[in-house]
Amino acid sequence: MIDLFSDTKTKPTAAMRQVMANAEVGDERANEDPSVNRLIERCAALLGKEAALYLPSGTMCNEIALAVHCKPGDEVLCDATSDVIGFEGGGPAALAGVMLNPIAGIRGIYSADQLRAKLHPDRPYAPRQRLVEVEQTANLGGGAIWPLATLREVAAVAHAAALVTHMDGARLLNACAASGIEAKDYARDFDSVWIDFSKGLGAPGGAVLAGNREFVNEANRWKQRIGGAMRQSGIIAAACEYALDHHVGRLADDHANARRLAEAIAGIDGLHIDLASVQTNLVYFDVIAPAGAEALCTALVARSVRMGAMGPQTIRAVTHLDVTAADIETAIRALREACAAAADAR
């Protein structure tokens, strides 16, 4: 199966597994795991922050950040397609007790003017606005990259209104690979930020949340509260460090594979894609035929290719570490065959 369903489908490479087997470990909860300590120091520097915290998942990074920055009843401003709205199980309400105020951005990216239009005076009968959140890259925006200038303008508006800022950096390093801009430059004006290791970087789990020392100290309290301590987690942290050493530069290969797939899709009858929307490793396209996305995905699975239906007509394909250029050519053939078979059936 050529699995383009998500970049979370990556598996540790043989070399990464060897590093994991040899990892130095200790009690991470007591700050005694040398592999974890080395990783968080490195990530704090990478992101330009004072301190960092190792966590099991990116979802936990987001939920802890909201809980630290906000009090129950506070309002978080974010794009309408943000993962915190649609893909974290209602965690913002259940854990932090916050309200989410969606902004109708374009492909997951909103402007400083749009944010400014959402701001209101601090009145006792309205929720207190507390946090502005962005997602780099924007998942439902097709892996769109927030321009650096836009990020800085949005952060400036937020800070001028005494709001804090948080960056969901699940695919931040994809943005870095595509733009040539360093992670710390993207994260500079954000009070907290995290990066994920279980997507394109290929580690079996883990994410690192960063900010100033006070924020990280409070985040660590929440980590204990919701069961995020992992004890001898250096086994996984070693995989994350290996990924930083060996898998960041190759993200460009995923982007090239995504571009090749997108260009082929543009030439297949029954499919539609906006080539300008493919900036990183996410490829969103539409099925014009009445049968729709689910039927095409089913037909692809029968041809040993897996993609994800994201709506009645929309499909997402995600390139990653475990998908080669040859796999992309196979996926393209499967798409052509499936679409031709659907056309013949009509």
Side-chain angles (χ1 to χ4, degrees):
M1 182 68 68
I2 296 171
D3 203 337
L4 294 161
F5 187 82
S6 174
D7 41 9
T8 61
K9 301 301 180 181
T10 54
K11 297 177 181 178
T13 63
M16 181 182 283
R17 288 175 181 268
Q18 188 60 53
V19 167
M20 294 171 68
N22 296 333
E24 297 179 272
V25 297
D27 186 349
E28 176 259 356
R29 184 171 177 178
N31 301 316
E32 294 173 356
D33 191 302
S35 296
V36 170
N37 292 342
R38 191 166 55 245
L39 177 68
I40 59 177
E41 289 176 9
R42 184 170 177 178
C43 288
L46 177 72
L47 297 168
K49 303 303 179 188
E50 288 182 351
L53 184 68
Y54 188 51
L55 293 168
S57 71
T59 295
M60 189 176 284
C61 289
N62 272 342
E63 297 308 323
I64 286 178
L66 297 187
V68 172
H69 288 310
C70 302
K71 295 179 180 179
D74 285 352
E75 182 177 278
V76 175
L77 297 111
C78 57
D79 187 80
T81 64
S82 296
D83 275 21
V84 291
I85 292 180
F87 296 96
E88 298 191 357
L95 299 173
V98 297
M99 299 181 66
L100 301 176
N101 189 341
I103 301 172
I106 298 174
R107 298 183 58 231
I109 298 171
Y110 54 86
S111 68
D113 285 341
Q114 285 181 294
L115 173 60
R116 192 178 289 109
K118 283 280 189 175
L119 301 179
H120 61 68
D122 187 9
R123 297 185 288 255
Y125 50 81
R128 176 178 284 120
Q129 293 181 317
R130 176 60 180 161
L131 175 66
V132 173
E133 189 258 9
V134 304
E135 186 179 305
Q136 177 77 308
T137 65
N139 175 15
L140 292 186
I145 300 170
W146 278 75
L148 183 59
T150 304
L151 286 172
R152 291 185 172 173
E153 289 165 2
V154 163
V157 170
H159 290 148
L163 307 183
V164 292
T165 53
H166 171 66
M167 177 182 288
D168 173 336
R171 295 183 177 92
L172 171 58
L173 296 184
N174 286 92
C176 297
S179 68
I181 296 172
E182 292 187 17
K184 64 183 178 182
D185 291 327
Y186 276 130
R188 188 191 73 180
D189 297 326
F190 288 79
D191 298 295
S192 56
V193 58
W194 61 273
I195 53 174
D196 192 282
F197 289 95
S198 66
K199 293 186 170 71
L201 296 184
V208 172
L209 175 66
N212 64 30
R213 295 193 187 282
E214 181 181 2
F215 168 82
V216 170
N217 286 341
E218 287 302 310
N220 188 48
R221 183 177 296 276
W222 267 95
K223 175 181 178 178
Q224 310 309 323
R225 182 176 293 163
I226 60 179
M230 296 178 283
R231 301 301 182 183
Q232 286 72 39
S233 51
I235 292 174
I236 309 175
C240 298
E241 190 164 22
Y242 180 90
L244 287 178
D245 289 332
H246 299 280
H247 293 169
V248 174
R250 61 146 310 280
L251 290 174
D253 297 339
D254 297 339
H255 301 168
N257 286 338
R259 171 56 54 175
R260 166 61 183 142
L261 177 61
E263 290 174 349
I265 288 170
I268 298 176
D269 290 340
L271 304 180
H272 175 266
I273 187 169
D274 175 8
L275 286 176
S277 71
V278 182
Q279 296 181 310
T280 51
N281 68 320
L282 305 185
V283 179
Y284 281 74
F285 61 97
D286 292 326
V287 182
I288 299 172
E294 288 285 359
L296 180 54
C297 285
T298 299
L300 288 173
V301 168
R303 292 166 172 83
S304 297
V305 174
R306 187 181 181 208
M307 298 183 184
M310 301 296 287
Q313 305 299 132
T314 302
I315 291 177
R316 185 183 80 160
V318 189
T319 56
H320 53 77
L321 176 66
D322 291 348
V323 176
T324 66
D327 291 335
I328 292 297
E329 298 306 318
T330 302
I332 290 168
R333 288 194 295 271
L335 270 171
R336 287 174 177 153
E337 291 172 5
C339 288
D344 290 343
R346 294 199 301 272

